[in-house]
Amino acid sequence: MSNQQYLTLDRTNDKMPIIGFGCWKVEENVEETVYTAIKNGYRLIDGAAVYENEVGVGKGINRAISEGIVKREDLFVVSKLWNTYHNKAHVRAAMDRTLKDLNLDYVDLYIIHFPVPCQYVDPKEQYPGPWTIDGKMKIEKSPMHELWAEMEKLVDAGLARNIGISNFNCQIIMDLLTYAKYKPATLQIELHPYLQQRELVKWVKEQGLQVTAYSSFGPSSYVKLTKDAKTVTPLFEHDMIKSIADKHKKTPAQVLLRWAIDQEIAVIPKSMSSDRMKSNIDVFDFKLDEKDHADIKKLDENLRFNSLFAYGIPVPLFN
Ligand code: NAD
């Protein structure tokens, strides 16, 4: 089993595992998959209300705890506030629903999933609420400073040990830092060799936030969702990544994860296969060398796969 490494979070000094298990698109056998991930050594579980699997995720976590594989305090459980609950009237209820679904008393990190306040829809009608209503995205009038104050209350209530953000750009983070009582512990962003985001990562770290990369394998996660992901060379098949992998006697997937970890960026790969789970976390016995890093740097194309346009929503969130 791997020797885990950690990133230390500001304020709480909590140790966040540098590699975790991603739960997006874990649609079948959710309990078994999460339980297997924990058995295979994963200690961070990255979930979200919008993945529509928190009940199963919670069952997997609680099974691992009840079988004595881990204690709750050994795990770092992450969830995300969905867009339709940004209004200050709905944040606590969204947290409560997630904790009820997970069957846990607290999460280690609760993240604002997108800086996009979508119109509230009563969870009794639809949970979680949609991106669009009648084909249009309707904005809920809930300013970020009000939302952040509600997130801070979740910390004070002991429901979230840390709070963080995802898909935020520099401008909105800069504004948030002017009023935050508890600054965000982490920023979670799409990050892989085709989208390296070097300036954002550097600046965010200087502000004392840790960075988590999502979709470390680049297009592989988006083949069914976007045209770009189908046309670009898959990173697993890229000659440069393959030759670096051969040199270190590792797989391309391990190289892609190690590339981020070498930069002290956390990763959260998703896989349904136990063998891949094991190999994805087996990345602590090697490092990329300077040449590897210099070569991979050249692959940056600012190529983003998780854009709202991919979901048919014409909002230029990252411009
Ligand atoms: P990923 O980069 O982890 O790739 C997953 C794909 O790669 C799957 O198709 C899987 O079968 C395949 N794969 C996994 N291991 C492999 C291996 N060793 N060899 C070959 N193929 C392999 O994709 P992701 O799920 O998009 O991202 C990881 C996690 O990040 C998500 O599960 C989720 O938790 C999080 N995420 C967050 C956001 C956000 O907006 N905050 C967005 C996307 C993802």
Side-chain angles (χ1 to χ4, degrees), residues 22 24 46 51 166-167 188 214-217 221 268 270 280:
W24 182 34
D46 184 81
Y51 302 160
S166 181
N167 299 305
Q188 187 175 125
Y214 73 68
S215 304
S216 293
F217 303 143
S221 185
I268 42 175
K270 174 256 180 180
N280 288 348

Side-chain angles (χ1 to χ4, degrees), residues 26 54 61 66 90 106 139 167 206 219 242 272 279 288 312:
V26 177
E54 291 203 301
I61 290 172
S66 69
H90 305 304
Y106 68 94
I139 301 281
N167 299 305
E206 283 164 6
K242 284 202 310 200
M272 300 298 287
S279 92
L288 303 191

Side-chain angles (χ1 to χ4, degrees), residues 112-131:
I112 301 175
H113 207 145
F114 286 91
V116 179
C118 293
Q119 187 175 308
Y120 176 70
V121 172
D122 189 332
K124 286 193 203 101
E125 283 171 35
Q126 190 178 351
Y127 179 81
W131 271 110

Side-chain angles (χ1 to χ4, degrees), residues 207-312:
Q207 311 312 309
L209 283 70
Q210 297 290 5
V211 175
T212 299
Y214 73 68
S215 304
S216 293
F217 303 143
S220 297
S221 185
Y222 297 91
V223 172
K224 288 190 188 141
L225 292 170
T226 78
K227 203 161 70 220
D228 279 356
K230 279 191 244 359
T231 47
V232 72
T233 307
L235 283 166
F236 294 135
E237 286 164 31
H238 197 289
D239 284 345
M240 181 201 292
I241 302 293
K242 284 202 310 200
S243 75
I244 294 173
D246 289 346
K247 183 171 83 181
H248 294 281
K249 300 196 170 44
K250 287 283 176 182
T251 66
Q254 289 167 326
V255 166
L256 294 169
L257 297 170
R258 189 68 228 184
W259 170 77
I261 291 173
D262 279 348
Q263 301 173 69
E264 306 224 304
I265 294 171
V267 290
I268 42 175
K270 174 256 180 180
S271 174
M272 300 298 287
S273 120
S274 183
D275 285 346
R276 279 180 176 172
M277 284 178 196
K278 284 186 199 155
S279 92
N280 288 348
I281 204 171
D282 181 19
V283 288
F284 295 109
D285 61 352
F286 81 115
K287 264 184 175 218
L288 303 191
D289 57 38
E290 268 179 41
K291 179 166 184 323
D292 302 332
H293 277 286
D295 285 346
I296 295 178
K297 199 172 183 179
K298 293 182 210 142
L299 295 184
D300 197 2
E301 290 182 35
N302 201 25
L303 189 51
R304 186 185 298 279
F305 300 105
N306 197 29
S307 100
L308 299 195
F309 288 86
Y311 308 106

Side-chain angles (χ1 to χ4, degrees), residues 85-265:
Y85 311 120
H86 278 209
N87 192 286
K88 62 183 175 187
H90 305 304
V91 178
R92 174 63 193 255
M95 175 87 272
D96 287 344
R97 169 70 186 256
T98 276
L99 290 173
K100 181 168 160 279
D101 285 354
L102 290 171
N103 194 14
L104 294 174
D105 299 331
Y106 68 94
V107 290
D108 294 275
L109 175 64
Y110 197 46
I111 290 175
I112 301 175
H113 207 145
F114 286 91
V116 179
C118 293
Q119 187 175 308
Y120 176 70
V121 172
D122 189 332
K124 286 193 203 101
E125 283 171 35
Q126 190 178 351
Y127 179 81
W131 271 110
T132 56
I133 297 175
D134 298 330
K136 286 223 165 73
M137 201 180 83
K138 299 200 173 135
I139 301 281
E140 172 96 26
K141 289 196 177 167
S142 65
M144 188 53 68
H145 68 93
E146 287 188 6
L147 166 54
W148 194 251
E150 292 304 309
M151 297 290 284
E152 290 169 334
K153 284 185 198 164
L154 302 177
V155 172
D156 293 337
L159 304 178
R161 287 190 54 82
N162 301 279
I163 46 180
I165 52 182
S166 181
N167 299 305
F168 280 44
N169 64 12
C170 170
Q171 293 91 320
I172 189 157
I173 300 171
M174 201 180 282
D175 186 51
L176 206 166
L177 292 174
T178 66
Y179 53 75
K181 182 170 68 154
Y182 307 140
K183 74 183 179 204
T186 66
L187 169 69
Q188 187 175 125
I189 45 172
E190 180 179 341
L191 191 143
H192 42 73
Y194 289 145
L195 181 71
Q196 304 195 9
Q197 309 224 52
R198 286 178 182 275
E199 286 112 356
L200 181 62
V201 169
K202 181 169 181 291
W203 181 80
V204 159
K205 285 186 173 211
E206 283 164 6
Q207 311 312 309
L209 283 70
Q210 297 290 5
V211 175
T212 299
Y214 73 68
S215 304
S216 293
F217 303 143
S220 297
S221 185
Y222 297 91
V223 172
K224 288 190 188 141
L225 292 170
T226 78
K227 203 161 70 220
D228 279 356
K230 279 191 244 359
T231 47
V232 72
T233 307
L235 283 166
F236 294 135
E237 286 164 31
H238 197 289
D239 284 345
M240 181 201 292
I241 302 293
K242 284 202 310 200
S243 75
I244 294 173
D246 289 346
K247 183 171 83 181
H248 294 281
K249 300 196 170 44
K250 287 283 176 182
T251 66
Q254 289 167 326
V255 166
L256 294 169
L257 297 170
R258 189 68 228 184
W259 170 77
I261 291 173
D262 279 348
Q263 301 173 69
E264 306 224 304
I265 294 171

